[in-house]
Amino acid sequence: MAVMQNDSDQVAAIAEKIRAGKTSLGIEFGSTRIKAVLIDDTYRTIASGDYNWASHLENGLWSYTLEEIWKGLQTAYAEMSNDVEAAYGEKLTRIGHIGFSAMMHGYLAFDKDGELLVPFRTWQNTNTHEAHEKLSELFQYNIPERWSIAHLYQCVLNNEEHVSKVAFFTTLAGYVHWKLTGRKVLGVGDASGMFPIDPETHTWETAFIDRFNALPEVAAQPWKLEDLLPEPLVAGTPAGELTEEGARLLDTTGTLQPGITLAPPEGDAGTGMMATNSVRKRTGNVSAGTSIFATVVLEGKLKALHPEVDLVTTPAGDLAGMSHANNFTSDLNAWVGLFGQFAEALGHPVDAGTLYGTLFRAAIADDVDANCGGLLNYPFRSGEFLAGLPEGRPLFARKPEARMSLGNFMRAQLFGAFSPVKIGMDVMTKDEHVQVDSLVGHGGIFTTPKVAQKILAAAFDTPIKVMATAAEGGAWGMAVLGDYLWHADEDLADYLDNRVFADAESVTETPDEKDVEGFEDFFARFRAGLPIEHAAIAAIPLED
């Protein structure tokens, strides 16, 4: 909802900004929600809208349909636009700048006529292990399974019929941007999850493109890789204008006018960096949602190839190391939902905020065991490269004499959710000795004060800051990238420090020694017990 509706002077001032186009709109396609956030020139959220959705399995691969993409976009935009009219009495005919962001990676491949060749393959798919291994060896640079180039190369290796017809491939944000502007471009951060980026030139690593094209099975194709990729753009670069057709796709009422300048479409890693003021070297953030990733902006390249660490870039093109886990809140949400059903069965239904808050606080209550009392939880709804799992099977396990309590159970849920991302983070901080001056938590899980922040501090054994904007999410970060188009003469990190976060409130949680010891004990059991997951994959079919 819009903010500060009860202050008539403020409402009038915001209405004037809306009429004058002193606004920026960010729309982010998350894994479970599409969110639209409109901000003014002081970075306040003045209107929002959203649409819930979920991926589905199609021929064994996680996907969303194009119809879902456009329905979700139009619904989220319509809710935001209606919010504007209800709060400020203004129909939204113009917006200063617009930007789209989305879950990174995946595979959207089109033919020369712009037709989708195969259903959208999302970042959740782990069927590209052979491509990951071969390309990582070829480049001596980690190419994770979910990266777009891994998907394309796996299609080549599998001799998929559509491969010879590919004329363009991109990410979800790049697809939406293309359809609304006609421009085949990507923000450099999102691009860095398609194919490696040269941090000096802020464009594709041309030497790697040459090596890829020289592979015999690729050389046999009727295309060259450089002709299939979108153009990478750094933050602050105008990335095209909303066309008349694009305006109708976005706003089905026909109220929004074309001609609006768009920011380069970014990935959720980049918008997470923006929302946490983490684009400067030696800063980092943990962006937690359906997936979770811990990102640190590096001072230089890593000394060795580490499959556990993705090398991506900030929206400005600086190199960053990322530990990315496919799984985070899906299993946690399922368990919380079960407790909600129990409350309803008792005749005492509770709202989601109360339910999550009550259960989360139990995880740090005085009577919990630091190591979860011997309980274990594996949150793997889908495959998890960091844990060596080709597929996912959510599991809860315990010894017969483990101390089963609500607090320990919820603590195990949260410890288990944070454990996969710790694998790659430990590689960066313990093996590569990456220095981190600031680590900021970001995402809805931090809405309940202290709980997730305290547990994350224990997992990484480092102070965790949560800012007042922590629950704003990537859509807000994308809106800020839209606003940056007006200030692109400033360094992006300075812009965030001096304008966006100059007066930002934050709370920092330092690691508690007992919590750190407890997490390390749990983490050791978590890793030792991973064969349970492999047994479950073998015993429980993915689809009936």
Side-chain angles (χ1 to χ4, degrees), residues 245-292:
E245 180 185 2
R248 300 300 171 266
L249 265 175
L250 182 57
D251 178 11
T252 58
T253 70
T255 305
L256 186 67
Q257 298 303 299
I260 299 166
T261 300
L262 270 70
E266 262 299 346
D268 48 6
T271 58
M273 294 177 198
M274 293 294 294
T276 55
N277 192 16
S278 303
V279 301
R280 197 180 295 279
K281 291 178 181 178
R282 294 173 62 119
T283 66
N285 76 94
V286 180
S287 187
T290 304
S291 65
I292 179 171

Side-chain angles (χ1 to χ4, degrees), residues 167-178:
F168 172 57
F169 75 123
T170 189
T171 65
L172 177 54
Y175 164 66
V176 172
H177 184 97
W178 169 41

Side-chain angles (χ1 to χ4, degrees), residues 173-202:
Y175 164 66
V176 172
H177 184 97
W178 169 41
K179 289 300 181 181
L180 297 187
T181 66
R183 294 282 305 277
K184 295 178 179 178
V185 299
L186 265 191
V188 67
D190 202 11
S192 69
M194 285 194 74
F195 191 85
I197 290 288
D198 182 337
E200 298 299 322
T201 65
H202 301 155

Side-chain angles (χ1 to χ4, degrees), residues 21 42 51 55 58 113 123 141 174 192 202 211 219 272 281 284 296 333 342 348 360-361 365 423 441 458 525:
T42 65
Y51 176 82
S55 58
E58 189 162 337
D113 297 318
W123 58 270
Y141 188 103
S192 69
H202 301 155
R211 289 184 213 173
K281 291 178 181 178
V296 179
N333 290 340
F342 176 66
H348 299 286
F360 276 27
R361 285 188 291 273
I423 297 170
R525 289 185 287 110

